[in-house]
Amino acid sequence: MKSFKLKLVLLLTICFVAFTELNAQEQVLTKYVDPFIGATGEGHTFSGASLPYGMVKIGPDCGKLNANSGYDGDGEIKGVSHVHVSGTGGPPKYGNVLVAATSGPVDIINYGSHRTNESAAPGYYAYRSKEHNIESEYTVTHSVGFHKYTFAKNQKLNLMFDLGSFLAGGDNKKSGEYSQELVGSEVRVISDTEIEGYTRIRWGWNVGDAYTVYFYAVTDKPAQQTGTWKSGKLDKNKKSQFDSHEPVGAYLTFGSNSSGEVKMKVGISFLSIGKAKQNIKNELPAWDFEKVKKDASDIWNEKLNKVVVKTKNEDQKKIFYSAVYRTMLMPVNRTGENPKWKSDAPYYDDFYCIWDTFRATHPLLTLIQQDEQVEMINSLIDIYKQEGYAPDARSGNSTGRTQGGSNSDVLIADAFVKGLKGINYEEALNSMIKNAEVPPGGDERLMGRGGINDYNNLGYVSTDYERAGSRTMEYAYNDYCIAIVAKGLGKDALYEKYINRSKNWENIWNKDIESDGAKGFIWPKRKDGTWSNKWNVHKSEGWSGWLYEGNSWEYSLYVPHDVASVVAKAGGKDAFVSRLDTFFTKNTQSFHPWLNDYYNVNNEPGFLTPTLYTYAGKSYKTNETVRNIIIKNYTSKPDGLPGNDDAGSMSAWYIFNTIGFFPVAGQDVYIITAPMFNEVSLNLGNGKTFKIVANKLSAKNLYIKSIKLNGKFLDRAWFRHEEIENGGVMEIEMTNKPISWDKVLPPSLSTNK
Amino acid sequence: MKSFKLKLVLLLTICFVAFTELNAQEQVLTKYVDPFIGATGEGHTFSGASLPYGMVKIGPDCGKLNANSGYDGDGEIKGVSHVHVSGTGGPPKYGNVLVAATSGPVDIINYGSHRTNESAAPGYYAYRSKEHNIESEYTVTHSVGFHKYTFAKNQKLNLMFDLGSFLAGGDNKKSGEYSQELVGSEVRVISDTEIEGYTRIRWGWNVGDAYTVYFYAVTDKPAQQTGTWKSGKLDKNKKSQFDSHEPVGAYLTFGSNSSGEVKMKVGISFLSIGKAKQNIKNELPAWDFEKVKKDASDIWNEKLNKVVVKTKNEDQKKIFYSAVYRTMLMPVNRTGENPKWKSDAPYYDDFYCIWDTFRATHPLLTLIQQDEQVEMINSLIDIYKQEGYAPDARSGNSTGRTQGGSNSDVLIADAFVKGLKGINYEEALNSMIKNAEVPPGGDERLMGRGGINDYNNLGYVSTDYERAGSRTMEYAYNDYCIAIVAKGLGKDALYEKYINRSKNWENIWNKDIESDGAKGFIWPKRKDGTWSNKWNVHKSEGWSGWLYEGNSWEYSLYVPHDVASVVAKAGGKDAFVSRLDTFFTKNTQSFHPWLNDYYNVNNEPGFLTPTLYTYAGKSYKTNETVRNIIIKNYTSKPDGLPGNDDAGSMSAWYIFNTIGFFPVAGQDVYIITAPMFNEVSLNLGNGKTFKIVANKLSAKNLYIKSIKLNGKFLDRAWFRHEEIENGGVMEIEMTNKPISWDKVLPPSLSTNK
């Protein structure tokens, strides 16, 4: 017995030491995260407090309440609300359960204030209000916003809950832009420390169904006065306001006997008030603000340590870790909070949208957040099982709107070829086939593939449909993804069907079109098979054009499964390289470059294009192109992102390209782009690490001279997932000379079947 | 001044006298209503308490909780729940917020009991429980269930709220049959007199989204004990159970000091608990059970007085007024209770479904409940504006499932040709065109017109789609309805387009098919234009066949806009009459006759067929056929309805045919079928009355000899809406001889353009 005890003590000691060592290995990386990067300008990033994939995102709603993240840099702060997204465009979504802190008399309209100072860190946001002389601090757990208000002892504090407030703007129903609108709201003051209620909103970017955000709020001190309002009418004696499709609110007023500090927990739920209350009980039973703040920071720090980079450039570290941080804000884990059905599957919302995130964000998760990636895919499959389609985008518990292809197909293929466990690939394949075969109907932007009847009957989407060009290009790649999964599951007939359909992009390739020395472009084709004569290769359109957010220069290059075929059609390697040179140099970087330019750094259709040089044997051009784009477009300033961050997509593009390689999403292939860090360690989980070392790296030494992967020299500027999935080392010698050292081209359908 | 006052007094006196007289004119008709007619057997009617179109329908949920209305005749009553439908088929819907009254120890599983006696009247339901010795009585306002429990003074009363209970059954997902399932539930005991919470359910017959039924309950006496449960685990100390996607419940226990009687109000809302509470405040502030019961009865009595029939046959009156009562149970007026959007339009739910009710129920409303009919159509148009399609069916705030055509089109055309005011017919026409042009997509049964691409491209729905035959027939009539509205709005090009499409039924008419001496039947056609060779005219199928709930004998006759053309195709009048004779005599009245027989009394596709004799100049055969069907199939017994009442459809068919005429829905035409009452007064509103007098009516005198409409002899067995819309008298001389007295046939497209 004694011996057993001794063993146990030894074991515990070893565990403790191991645990301490593991923690000791973790660096403090949160200090490099600046949540304000991308928060102004076109980035639209969220600057408030959230956990990774956190349901509650507490942050300021500013000015005219029309910013996508709620935030602007210097306008009035109306208050903080509890649900947000990050980096999105179009009519904003969320901004629910707004709380404003004021002093003086209760004013249910003008409760906003200006900030005299403001700070943010992972899991924390704070500002001081100029007009009201109140210090407001916020931290979070997964589903609870934790508020702390400090005010002068001779002063009053009003906590105003405005359930009629939400983010809105961009309404243009004719072009399909629907601003959020109120469906209803309700509030009850339960006691002098408790308020509960909800706000019910519909529409916004995805034109979604009504969603309801319930809350339960409790303070650490009793209020001296309470009241409510409805439709602009204050009632100081009424304790509740029922839902009559009108905006309601309530307030708690604390006097000087509240010792100048009031804390409040606001539990949020998409199910009910009871669940919101329970979320507080589960996640935040005590009142220690500093501890919760530190816990949030620690959770983020662990996540940030998944990628450790070495460089002496502290500013670069700031850009990098802020980017890593932003890739983990969305989608949102709402497991246990689905008001539409009961399921054992995980439930994620705010895929917003996969058209953005399938290219870089999800492949990044597959490397460093595999469990979450599996959960997200399983939640997509569950949505397919319950509602009929795996979404390309979803927010507020509603699927919509599809941008181009059915890109959940790419996520599934990417997981399949990289061997992710815990996914029912048979069901997943069914969801892909549904996309490919059954028209979404009434609303072609809602789900599945708009115009699929044309695509399946004619081999391309005709000009009868909007986005016919970009849809055709994306559907072809989506079909390739189906083929690959079908083949892997032993379904050869399905493979043949879809691999043939993956060549459909050729049907809109017009070999006679010339532009700036390049010949052959994708081009609008009518239902009768004739080419449109009203078009030009520079034409780039938003929602309703032939190409979605891109031009023919750009989309003609989007054939990720068969770049070799594009190279051939473009006139061979030299012509192709020359075409890429034109593509990347004719870039005026206007405010909305995707409306004017050839290459769009700030939009997703061009994510892969810098790597295409490598497909023509000129990987050094990939190196310099990537380096140029990064230096020109990414900074540590609030406007330091090119275009909307799109749920972390711009950030993920940056991360891959600075650590030295970029994924061809849907394939087990990474193109080496050259690192911008001396050393990178990717924690692949289960104790596996993939290390990238860049020797002699400098501003001038931006080219690759040679690469050793796991001790062996590479004769190719790409590698497969299986070569790194168990960890390893990639050692790269850098040089200042552009050298064509790579011999073997990356795989393409037409050359490497 | 004095003179003015005198005038006012005189005016008031006149008004008072007029009012008293009006009330004096009202007969007590509620005594003829037996809510148990149709409640067992195939009728599936609701036997509990509801107001006309009432949101709360409080009634017993019995046995295995798999009856569509909740009711069975003699099994165990689990308890009463607050939301029901009436007369439906397929997997049941609703059965929400169940309350069971028990004595003895709290048992959260076996709380049901058997009834020793049971009674029901409009707005009232009661039974005595055998095991628990409790008298349970229920009455209602629009949104509140009023409970009254009487028990022995030495006894306990437990009021058990089971939020995990709902109606379920018929699950067969492969064939599209989805049983209701729980999404979540929540409950809170607020005080010793208050309980609140909700139950969230999805699916059921229309495979609808999750809907939430909130409640707030208050008793007139304090409970001595309270407790809650979750997932079968009782907790006597816990006051609340939050939503974790599990079934929850709560109870109040009253002891002997509760004086042997406890009353309880249960407010219901589809928005929130606060709204449920407010509904009690608005509708039911006091505690006078007898007054509320009388109010409910008075409201019904006023409605029943819209049709006053004279006959010495009291049993016939009972059948008749019970039928009138059943036509006013659905749809349900949920204005102010829409959780999906805010709108100034009325909101009705439980159109369940218009495929059933467009034929007789809505035309009846247009005569005697015009305000409600306008509101219902406006609610359909608002649903189109908000969600994209006017539903053919809707329940639990979700559109679905379409049976055949897009029959909201017929409602709109019917309202238009009958001159109903207060409808925006331009918007209405847009909703019709949406149905006709835009495929519903992913789920062809959900809304709009399934298979519409085929119909619009080929002129018929091909055998690629289920229900291709019945869809083609119905779409043709729907197109006719569009044409008529378009013409009336001066849109001639639209008229031409759709009037041509209304002839599409001819494309599936196979002139070579013979059966029992009849030649020419509608027949399955493949996409390539060839006829199917695997079919027979007797084949009748349910959900997935070529014809929906009918056979080719039946559907070949469904061309309401051009019966003359069917007569011609069938070989002329004599052949057509002979064909109808065969059709009506080959009727074996099996349990599910629509699976075997030629004519289906109990299903809607045959609603018009008895009147078709009149289109061939043999109106006396219409008289005798209708009379035979009624006598054979309608009784005052609990199984006294042929087939599901389908939200009052069988009842409306009965009402029209016994008062003497039947509407050709969508047209301003009524076919005279011969009355079964000596006198009928229809209150058309605004003081207008249409009276039908049948002189010399008897069991043998079932034929019409002559008709005077507003003093003039008719030479036709039909009339137009405009001839009666301002009231009038139709005097009919009855005879025992079949006479061909009618000369002018009813209008048909091919003969009376």
Side-chain angles (χ1 to χ4, degrees), chain A residues 228-243:
Chain A
T228 62
W229 69 86
K230 187 174 201 166
S231 298
K233 190 163 168 273
L234 178 66
D235 191 328
K236 294 192 172 183
N237 299 313
K238 210 164 183 178
K239 298 290 181 199
S240 67
Q241 298 282 0
F242 71 94
D243 189 343

Side-chain angles (χ1 to χ4, degrees), chain A residues 38-50:
Chain A
T40 62
E42 290 291 289
H44 294 183
T45 57
F46 174 68
S47 58
S50 167

Side-chain angles (χ1 to χ4, degrees), chain A residues 186 188 196 198 200 202 214 242-243 245 271-272 274-275 278 338-339 341-342 386 389 439 441-442 453, chain B residues 186 188 196 198 200 202 214 242-243 245-246 271-272 274-275 278 338-339 341-342 386 439 441-442 453:
Chain A
E186 188 158 303
R188 273 197 275 191
E196 63 183 26
Y198 68 76
R200 187 169 289 149
R202 68 166 178 163
Y214 297 88
F242 71 94
D243 189 343
H245 293 299
L271 292 187
S272 67
K275 181 63 161 52
Q278 185 68 22
N338 182 355
W341 63 84
K342 175 183 179 175
Q386 305 293 343
Y389 285 92
N453 273 341
Chain B
E186 188 158 303
R188 274 196 276 191
E196 62 182 26
Y198 67 78
R200 188 170 287 151
R202 67 167 179 163
Y214 297 90
F242 71 95
D243 189 343
H245 294 296
E246 299 295 329
L271 293 187
S272 68
K275 182 62 161 55
Q278 185 67 23
N338 182 354
W341 62 85
K342 175 184 176 173
Q386 305 294 342
N453 273 342

